């Protein structure tokens, strides 16, 4: 006996519902945050604060007769000052921890490292018209502070008579004498050190007006005293530069005739 048509329809509906439930997408449950929950903030990467750039100070330059004065700060350049033939005393000082500067002409001739790492001192610049020539010069300076440089030709009218004594500490490296008058003939250079030097020192003598030099025997290491001789080629005004030998601690040099 066949089932009634209505019963057959009900059976088919129930079967299809069961099957569709097996293949439907799973129900997604979204968690909720309770009222007492704390939300952690998102970390923001730290940004480094840039260091301020040091202010550039344009060097100022003053030229009076045979004296050129230049002052500035940080890195700087001054040019267009003229240096004649002869010897010049270069004196410098700086407020920073370092100061380096050069003095060169348009061809790059001159002195590449005048200060030799020292923030203060003095030394000679000799324009002999042979290896270093007269002309317009440029000063290039690098520093982390303010600085000043004076380039001065010694006054021959104030030259003193011999003997002349120059004292210099090893830490200073170099010392310059005052200008002195010398006659043609033998020149005696005696020296003494507070400690026994193990390096070699030098005394260089230059004609103030021409920049010409004459040979002096080096100060030898291994002793605390010594003597060197030289020959003055012509009567004139001279100036000496002393390079202190390593280990001397303090050197005293006397020039006489």
């Amino acid at each position: 006996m066949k089932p009634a048509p209505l019963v057959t329809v009900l059976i088919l509906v129930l079967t299809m519902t069961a099957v569709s439930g097996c293949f439907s997408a799973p129900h997604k449950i979204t968690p909720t945050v309770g009222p007492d929950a704390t939300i952690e903030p998102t970390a923001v990467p730290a940004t480094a604060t840039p260091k301020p750039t040091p202010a550039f100070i344009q060097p100022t330059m003053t030229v009076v007769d045979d004296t050129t004065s230049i002052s500035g700060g940080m890195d700087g350049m001054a040019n267009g000052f003229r240096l004649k033939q002869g010897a010049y005393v270069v004196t410098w000082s700086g407020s920073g921890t370092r100061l380096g500067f050069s003095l060169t002409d348009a061809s790059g001739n001159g002195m590449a490292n005048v200060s030799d790492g020292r923030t203060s001192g003095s030394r000679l610049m000799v324009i002999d018209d042979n290896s270093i020539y007269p002309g317009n010069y440029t000063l290039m300076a690098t520093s982390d502070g303010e600085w000043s440089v004076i380039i001065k030709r010694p006054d021959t009218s104030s030259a003193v008579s011999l003997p002349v004594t120059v004292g210099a500490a090893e830490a200073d490296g170099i010392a310059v004498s005052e200008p002195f008058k010398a006659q043609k003939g033998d020149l005696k250079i005696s020296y003494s050190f507070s400690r026994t030097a193990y390096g070699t020192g030098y005394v260089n003598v230059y004609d103030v007006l021409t920049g010409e030099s004459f040979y002096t025997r080096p100060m030898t290491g291994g002793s605390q005293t010594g003597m060197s001789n030289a020959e003055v080629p012509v009567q004139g005004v001279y100036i000496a530069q002393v390079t202190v030998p390593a280990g001397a601690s303090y050197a005293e040099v006397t020039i006489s005739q």
Side-chain angles (χ1 to χ4, degrees):
M1 180 176 181
K2 295 182 180 180
L6 180 61
V7 174
T8 303
V9 171
L10 289 174
I11 293 172
L12 290 173
V13 170
L14 291 173
T15 303
M16 292 179 64
T17 303
V19 172
S20 63
C22 294
F23 293 96
S24 62
H27 182 64
K28 183 177 181 181
I29 301 175
T30 304
T32 58
V33 179
D36 297 331
T38 302
I39 300 175
E40 295 293 334
T42 303
V44 178
T47 302
T49 303
K51 295 182 179 180
T53 302
F56 176 80
I57 302 175
Q58 179 65 37
T60 60
M61 180 173 63
T62 304
V63 180
V64 179
D65 297 329
D66 288 327
T67 301
T68 301
S69 302
I70 304 171
S71 60
M74 308 302 174
D75 299 348
M77 179 183 73
N79 56 17
F81 56 93
R82 184 171 180 81
L83 299 180
K84 300 183 293 187
Q85 183 175 349
Y88 288 83
V89 180
V90 182
T91 305
W92 69 90
S93 63
S95 63
T97 60
R98 58 180 176 83
L99 171 59
F101 67 96
S102 63
L103 289 167
T104 56
D105 63 13
S107 301
N109 297 314
M111 299 175 68
N113 184 16
V114 182
S115 56
D116 194 24
R118 295 175 173 85
T119 55
S120 64
S122 65
R123 66 175 302 173
L124 290 179
M125 179 175 182
V126 181
I127 300 176
D128 57 6
D129 198 28
N130 183 22
S131 57
I132 302 180
Y133 304 94
N136 290 326
Y137 276 75
T138 296
L139 179 144
M140 294 282 292
T142 59
S143 178
D144 57 357
E146 296 182 352
W147 50 266
S148 64
V149 177
I150 299 175
I151 309 163
K152 182 178 181 179
R153 190 168 187 174
D155 182 8
T156 56
S157 64
S158 63
V160 300
S161 300
L162 292 175
V164 167
T165 298
V166 184
E170 181 184 351
D172 297 331
I174 289 176
V176 178
S177 75
E178 55 188 324
F180 57 86
K181 294 177 287 187
Q183 306 295 322
K184 180 180 178 180
D186 292 337
L187 192 72
K188 299 177 181 179
I189 302 172
S190 61
Y191 51 90
S192 62
F193 311 131
S194 59
R195 294 180 182 176
T196 301
Y198 55 81
T200 301
Y202 300 90
V203 178
N204 299 99
V205 182
Y206 302 92
D207 188 311
V208 168
L209 297 179
T210 67
E212 295 180 0
S213 63
F214 52 86
Y215 175 78
T216 60
R217 184 161 47 88
M219 299 182 288
T220 57
S223 64
Q224 284 190 258
T225 60
M227 176 76 71
S228 181
N229 296 316
E231 183 76 17
V232 179
V234 63
Q235 177 181 332
V237 176
Y238 293 85
I239 193 167
Q241 179 168 273
V242 176
T243 303
V244 183
S249 183
Y250 186 85
E252 189 172 274
V253 176
T254 300
I255 303 172
S256 62
Q257 279 191 310

